[in-house]
Amino acid sequence: MIRFEGVHKWFKKLHVLNDIHLHVKQNETVVVCGPSGSGKSTLIRTINRLEPIDQGKLVVDGFDLTDRSFDINKLRAEIGFVFQQFNLYPHLTALKNITLAPIKVRGMARKEAEDLATALLERVGLAEKRNVYPAQLSGGQQQRVAIARGLAMKPKIMLFDEPTSALDPEMIGEVLAVMRHLAHTGMTLVVVTHEMGFAREVADRVVFMDHGAILEEATPDEFFLNPQHDRAKQFLKQILTPMHCEM
Amino acid sequence: MESGLDFTIVKDNLLYFMIGAYPEGKLGGIALTIYLAVAACFFSFWGGLILGLMNVARNKAIRYASGAFVNFVRGMPLLMVIFWCYFLVPGLFGQPVGETKTVIIALSLFTSAYMSQIVKAGIESIPKGQTEAARSSGLKLWQVMVFVILPQGLRNMIPSFVNQFVSLIKDTSLAFIVGVSELTHVATQINNRSFVYPTEIFIFIAVIYFILCYIFTEFSRWLERRLAWRKSI
Ligand SMILES: Nc1ncnc2c1ncn2[C@@H]1O[C@H](COP(=O)(O)OP(=O)(O)OP(=O)(O)O)[C@@H](O)[C@H]1O
Ligand SMILES: [Mg+2]
């Protein structure tokens, strides 16, 4: 479904993606983790070309992303993206946030789009919030609307970039529950997260990045119980000790 | 001559102040001022929007062309723009264009240049995440602009727009330089006829300009409230 072959990217002199090889199969859930600044966001953003790559090959759903001649919007319509900062449209209600793309991109009839949005809101447990503006929702609720917005395009792939990092601890669970459910329905997921419980439970594979390179790619059990790389061990120690919750 | 102000001259010429020589002659006075302001307001809104969008276009040529135009116009006093239009526009159209139209064109060009910078700033003030979310869902660039960025940006721009339009209302007074008989022109005429009550006459038109600007400001406050989506509970 997604195949990176020797992908490189630079921001000026910063080598932000360094020889990335990664293959995400259909229905797989891959969790990407690593220290801050290691290039996780950049990696996931290349998949729908929010960030173009400089070198190598990247094929997503049969489209070669280095090929500039195809209509990128066609591919983007098949990929849902959930951001750390939610990025809901503040001038639109929850419902309208969800119906915008199906109506404008897919050409769906308004009524049909609204029914779909209502069903999705129900699915993420926010049926009663359909006519509410984002500012009136909690962080966890906003993120669930954002997930529903991504799902409204009936995507083949969902990408999550630290979807719970901007949330208060008590709201993380509700968002993870929605994502867990998605993973079980067989959607192809790439999730950047430090929620190791989630990774352990639903990931088919965990990818560990540092300084723009993939240092480790393993099943959750292998990764958590027997990390190969020193950097990975160090990272896990930091993230799994309660110490990292210090004020 | 008694001391104190005597507004009889205003009272006697009230109709002339309001509509000029109309209906025997051309429309003038306050009515013409309002006409100039509303027409120029309309055109400069669209002009500013288009120029502003060109200013943030991806295409460099478009960006530079609109940027050059904006800087050129902003570097000129309005009076010059009016003169330029007065002499150049008829040539461009190959036939005489009425003074009133010329002035509307000049005011629109001038105000558009300023408006475009407001539009540009308004667009750039919307967080990048909005564009990214919209692009990620497969919307085309123009759709992102129309459905996501502008609805938020325009609302933020309203206060700056209002400032610009208030200036515009006052700027219409410069139309008298090419003989358009708007309020200031009419006031000058009446003053030239009597020469006795300049203070009264110019106090009166100052009040009129103030009222026009005030009404407009209130209208846009109302508009702003109406367009406001609820920011918090
Ligand atoms: N648009 C950009 N221009 C220049 N440098 C950038 C840009 N975006 C990211 N970077 C740099 O690239 C590096 C990788 O950034 P990236 O956001 O991919 O890291 P990350 O692993 O997602 O980190 P975090 O956990 O903090 O989100 C960082 O050093 C960052 O400063
Ligand atoms: Mg990141």
Side-chain angles (χ1 to χ4, degrees):
Chain A
M1 201 67 172
I2 307 170
R3 189 188 288 275
F4 289 81
E5 284 172 23
V7 168
H8 291 262
K9 180 173 178 68
W10 288 265
F11 283 124
K12 301 265 164 59
K13 283 196 174 142
L14 184 69
H15 202 165
V16 62
L17 292 181
N18 184 356
D19 195 29
I20 300 290
H21 291 266
L22 179 65
H23 185 198
V24 181
K25 295 197 257 323
Q26 197 164 356
N27 301 347
E28 249 189 336
T29 297
V30 170
V31 162
V32 180
C33 62
S36 180
S38 56
K40 307 180 296 294
S41 295
T42 311
L43 176 81
I44 200 170
R45 287 158 62 89
T46 58
I47 297 173
N48 71 351
R49 211 203 265 162
L50 275 182
E51 300 286 357
I53 63 172
D54 293 326
Q55 198 181 308
K57 197 167 160 155
L58 173 52
V59 181
V60 181
D61 190 26
F63 290 100
D64 180 353
L65 288 202
T66 48
D67 173 8
R68 287 268 154 188
S69 63
F70 79 95
D71 180 8
I72 185 71
N73 291 321
K74 283 229 171 64
L75 177 60
R76 283 176 173 160
E78 306 299 331
I79 305 177
F81 201 113
V82 176
F83 299 83
Q84 182 175 355
Q85 299 299 339
F86 329 134
N87 294 343
L88 290 180
Y89 313 128
H91 62 300
L92 300 176
T93 59
L95 188 85
K96 293 243 154 72
N97 262 277
I98 298 172
T99 58
L100 181 67
I103 292 173
K104 303 299 176 192
V105 178
R106 293 257 192 256
M108 198 182 276
R110 175 167 303 276
K111 176 76 175 57
E112 194 188 340
E114 286 180 355
D115 290 346
L116 171 66
T118 308
L120 285 168
L121 281 172
E122 228 157 77
R123 191 162 146 200
V124 299
L126 292 171
E128 77 285 6
K129 299 289 187 190
R130 62 200 296 269
N131 295 321
V132 159
Y133 287 90
Q136 295 162 273
L137 296 170
S138 73
Q141 292 172 332
Q142 288 191 50
Q143 194 60 300
R144 284 185 281 155
V145 172
I147 294 173
R149 177 175 67 176
L151 292 173
M153 294 295 281
K154 305 216 167 78
K156 297 179 180 162
I157 303 170
M158 283 288 281
L159 308 175
F160 294 82
D161 189 2
E162 305 209 31
T164 56
S165 299
L167 297 178
D168 292 335
E170 70 269 23
M171 293 172 187
I172 292 176
E174 65 195 43
V175 171
L176 289 180
V178 172
M179 293 168 59
R180 203 172 286 128
H181 180 73
L182 271 183
H184 292 318
T185 59
M187 175 89 65
T188 307
L189 301 185
V190 179
V191 184
V192 176
T193 186
H194 290 162
E195 291 297 330
M196 291 302 136
F198 175 81
R200 202 170 253 172
E201 193 185 334
V202 304
D204 295 296
R205 270 175 306 137
V206 177
V207 168
F208 175 75
M209 285 186 77
D210 193 27
H211 288 108
I214 293 181
L215 290 192
E216 199 145 337
E217 187 186 336
T219 64
D221 282 347
E222 281 168 358
F223 180 70
F224 289 112
L225 300 176
N226 191 17
Q228 300 300 309
H229 222 277
D230 280 348
R231 302 281 314 184
K233 285 178 195 161
Q234 215 180 335
F235 173 77
L236 280 174
K237 210 161 86 196
Q238 263 175 21
I239 212 130
L240 293 177
T241 48
M243 274 302 288
H244 106 112
C245 297
E246 92 267 22
M247 290 292 114
Chain B
M1 199 215 276
E2 57 179 307
S3 63
L5 298 172
D6 178 3
F7 283 98
T8 349
I9 180 115
V10 171
K11 223 171 97 197
D12 292 347
N13 290 290
L14 200 55
L15 195 63
Y16 196 64
F17 270 117
M18 301 285 275
I19 56 174
Y22 195 78
E24 288 86 42
K26 278 185 175 173
L27 187 70
I30 298 170
L32 186 58
T33 291
I34 292 173
Y35 173 67
L36 289 176
V38 169
C41 180
F42 175 83
F43 290 119
S44 52
F45 173 80
W46 291 106
L49 191 60
I50 291 164
L51 271 176
L53 287 171
M54 288 168 73
N55 253 290
V56 295
R58 281 190 163 181
N59 185 310
K60 263 193 186 156
I62 295 178
R63 250 188 358 249
Y64 287 153
S66 59
F69 173 80
V70 167
N71 285 331
F72 178 66
V73 171
R74 286 202 301 177
M76 279 203 289
L78 175 55
L79 204 60
M80 291 289 287
V81 180
I82 293 176
F83 274 140
W84 275 62
C85 287
Y86 188 68
F87 293 116
L88 286 182
V89 168
L92 279 177
F93 284 86
Q95 59 182 41
V97 178
E99 288 88 12
T100 307
K101 280 196 189 115
T102 309
V103 167
I104 289 173
I105 291 172
L107 285 171
S108 303
L109 285 179
F110 187 75
T111 309
S112 294
Y114 287 89
M115 296 283 290
S116 71
Q117 299 310 292
I118 298 170
V119 171
K120 183 178 173 210
I123 289 172
E124 284 169 350
S125 74
I126 304 303
K128 251 180 71 193
Q130 291 290 307
T131 309
E132 289 180 350
R135 289 291 272 161
S136 294
S137 68
L139 291 170
K140 298 186 182 74
L141 264 181
W142 70 266
Q143 291 176 314
V144 176
M145 212 30 108
V146 170
F147 300 118
V148 176
I149 305 300
L150 285 179
Q152 299 179 52
L154 283 173
R155 189 181 159 277
N156 296 344
M157 295 171 206
I158 291 177
S160 312
F161 276 180
V162 172
N163 282 337
Q164 209 56 55
F165 287 142
V166 165
S167 301
L168 177 61
I169 293 172
K170 295 180 287 184
D171 286 345
T172 56
S173 60
L174 282 175
F176 92 100
I177 212 78
V178 289
V180 172
S181 54
E182 44 65 64
L183 181 56
T184 306
H185 190 266
V186 163
T188 319
Q189 271 183 337
I190 293 172
N191 185 44
N192 288 351
R193 254 188 259 146
S194 67
F195 278 119
V196 189
Y197 306 105
T199 319
E200 286 82 350
I201 289 172
F202 287 102
I203 285 178
F204 174 69
I205 70 165
V207 170
I208 295 296
Y209 279 117
F210 175 79
I211 291 173
L212 288 179
C213 293
Y214 182 79
I215 291 172
F216 182 76
T217 311
E218 283 306 305
F219 167 72
S220 35
R221 286 231 177 90
W222 170 82
L223 189 69
E224 198 175 351
R225 272 197 305 274
R226 252 201 55 163
L227 291 179
W229 60 87
R230 272 190 276 172
K231 283 212 154 165
S232 56
I233 298 170

